[in-house]
């Protein structure tokens, strides 16, 4: 099914809002990407996500879980035109997980580790079953609106009983430190263009500034200010690429007061100046 949907495409949206397919016909070098809270499954071939220096390789036996919005690099290992790397991504709803935890009465897992936001899980029949039914809805489009949310809720439940349950409980459990960091990230994503003080953000998520800074860096490898800068620069890149803004206007739109500071920080993140980066992206997109 994924092979049919992705003919002639690399990344493919589907009529199910949170479900996406991908296809790669050749191995690739690491490519910069932004990963949102999601699970990714490979049904043919093999891929890897690089988070900083740490690799997470996944294939038909292991799936990838990411529980926060993070910068990373994606790489395809095994792919050819005859046997392309095929797979799907489902965007996660951490609020749904918190609701399931609150309503289910399930005992918490013994392992409540919070040593990171990206991990590999074991592909099981119990987990694949609802995904197969979710994909089957693509042949029954009139049922998607009603049935897809029910199957997605089951998938979230299955994830909470998988070998990654401890990590997900730690992120989704209301009141946990990790859950507060998720709320801080949500706040930054909404207010990324506005200046803020760490004390203000700490008060919003009911943490002390030092505790917020410590746990934020533990989960994201960045401070809140560095994370805000990363959000700003990626949004500026999107504005220049998709809405044809020049560098100065993009900089002002995302909250920079100095175009020269914007250019310096853009170059440090993406390796080239804004103009050279956008020119390269556009020329690459036309090949």
């Amino acid at each position: 099914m994924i092979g049919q949907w992705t003919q002639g495409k690399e990344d493919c949206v589907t009529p199910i809002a949170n479900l996406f397919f991908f296809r790669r016909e050749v191995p690739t070098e690491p490519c910069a990407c932004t990963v949102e809270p999601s699970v990714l499954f490979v049904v043919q071939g093999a891929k890897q996500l690089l988070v900083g220096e740490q690799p997470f390789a996944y294939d038909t036996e292991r799936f990838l879980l990411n529980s926060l919005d993070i910068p990373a690099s994606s790489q395809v290992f095994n792919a050819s035109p005859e046997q392309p790397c095929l797979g799907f991504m489902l965007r996660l709803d951490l609020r749904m997980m918190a609701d399931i935890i609150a309503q289910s009465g399930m005992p918490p897992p013994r392992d409540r580790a919070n040593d990171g936001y990206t991990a590999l899980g074991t592909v099981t029949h119990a987990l694949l079953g609802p995904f197969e039914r979710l994909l089957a809805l693509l042949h029954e489009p009139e049922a998607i609106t009603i049935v897809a949310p029910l199957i997605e809720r089951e998938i979230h439940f299955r994830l909470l009983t998988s070998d990654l349950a401890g990590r997900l409980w730690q992120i989704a459990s209301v009141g946990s430190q990790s859950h507060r960091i998720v709320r801080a990230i949500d706040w930054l994503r909404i207010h990324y263009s506005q200046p803020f003080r760490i004390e203000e953000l700490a008060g919003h998520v009911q943490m002390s500034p030092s505790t917020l800074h410590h746990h934020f860096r533990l989960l994201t490898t960045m401070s809140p200010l560095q994370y805000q800068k990363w959000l700003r620069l990626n949004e500026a890149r999107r504005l220049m690429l998709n809405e044809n803004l020049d560098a100065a206007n993009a900089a002002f739109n995302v909250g920079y007061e100095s175009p020269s500071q914007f250019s310096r920080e853009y170059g440090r993140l993406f390796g080239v100046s804004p103009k050279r980066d956008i020119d390269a992206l556009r020329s690459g997109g036309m090949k």
Side-chain angles (χ1 to χ4, degrees):
M1 183 182 294
I2 295 173
Q4 293 171 353
W5 271 80
T6 57
Q7 283 287 348
K9 304 175 184 176
E10 287 196 339
D11 298 293
C12 179
V13 299
T14 75
I16 299 172
N18 295 317
L19 181 68
F20 307 86
F21 295 154
F22 59 82
R23 177 193 191 104
R24 300 292 186 273
E25 296 190 350
V26 294
T28 66
E29 294 298 316
C31 301
C33 63
T34 299
V35 186
E36 57 189 320
S38 57
V39 285
L40 292 96
F41 286 73
V42 168
V43 298
Q44 183 171 275
K47 292 187 71 179
Q48 169 175 272
L49 190 75
L50 289 163
V51 181
E53 299 294 323
Q54 189 171 4
F56 296 89
Y58 56 108
D59 50 25
T60 56
E61 296 181 355
R62 294 170 294 180
F63 70 91
L64 180 76
L65 164 75
N66 191 71
S67 51
L68 295 176
D69 292 271
I70 56 163
S73 296
S74 178
Q75 182 177 15
V76 174
F77 285 149
N78 298 332
S80 68
E82 296 75 26
Q83 285 197 311
C85 179
L86 299 171
F88 60 88
M89 180 191 88
L90 182 73
R91 187 185 291 129
L92 293 180
D93 185 342
L94 297 179
R95 292 180 179 84
M96 181 185 293
M97 285 197 170
D99 181 60
I100 292 171
I101 290 171
Q103 292 191 14
S104 67
M106 295 189 306
R110 293 179 180 178
D111 175 20
R112 298 293 296 272
N114 64 340
D115 54 346
Y117 43 80
T118 302
L120 297 171
T122 303
V123 176
T124 64
H125 290 295
L127 195 51
L128 280 183
F131 277 112
E132 290 173 350
R133 285 185 274 111
L134 186 66
L135 268 64
L137 286 180
L138 297 175
H139 295 307
E140 195 180 0
E142 68 279 3
I144 288 175
T145 302
I146 301 300
V147 181
L150 302 176
I151 299 176
E152 289 181 35
R153 189 173 179 87
E154 179 187 349
I155 289 170
H156 284 65
F157 169 79
R158 298 294 181 187
L159 288 168
L160 284 167
T161 60
S162 73
D163 55 354
L164 297 183
R167 194 174 309 262
L168 284 166
W169 275 69
Q170 191 69 28
I171 292 290
S173 294
V174 175
S176 71
Q177 300 286 34
S178 297
H179 185 264
R180 290 189 173 101
I181 299 303
V182 171
R183 288 175 54 207
I185 287 173
D186 286 345
W187 190 92
L188 286 170
R189 291 187 68 84
I190 295 170
H191 302 95
Y192 68 89
S193 64
Q194 304 170 14
F196 77 95
R197 296 182 303 112
I198 190 69
E199 293 81 6
E200 175 189 8
L201 181 58
H204 176 73
V205 297
Q206 299 178 312
M207 301 174 79
S208 71
S210 59
T211 301
L212 169 64
H213 193 277
H214 172 74
H215 285 278
F216 199 101
R217 185 175 287 277
L218 189 67
L219 280 175
T220 69
T221 72
M222 292 180 277
S223 70
L225 286 172
Q226 288 171 329
Y227 192 85
Q228 182 198 47
K229 183 187 301 182
W230 174 71
L231 289 171
R232 285 180 168 184
L233 293 171
N234 275 278
E235 174 61 11
R237 193 186 207 194
R238 186 193 69 81
L239 291 172
M240 290 185 290
L241 183 63
N242 296 340
E243 300 187 23
N244 297 314
L245 267 65
D246 59 31
N249 280 310
F252 290 132
N253 268 270
V254 299
Y256 279 90
E257 296 180 357
S258 166
S260 60
Q261 180 189 1
F262 167 74
S263 294
R264 286 195 303 272
E265 294 184 352
Y266 192 99
R268 281 197 290 268
L269 179 61
F270 296 112
V272 293
S273 69
K275 185 177 187 309
R276 289 184 60 188
D277 182 46
I278 299 305
D279 287 346
L281 289 171
R282 285 177 176 156
S283 63
M286 292 187 293
K287 290 179 181 179

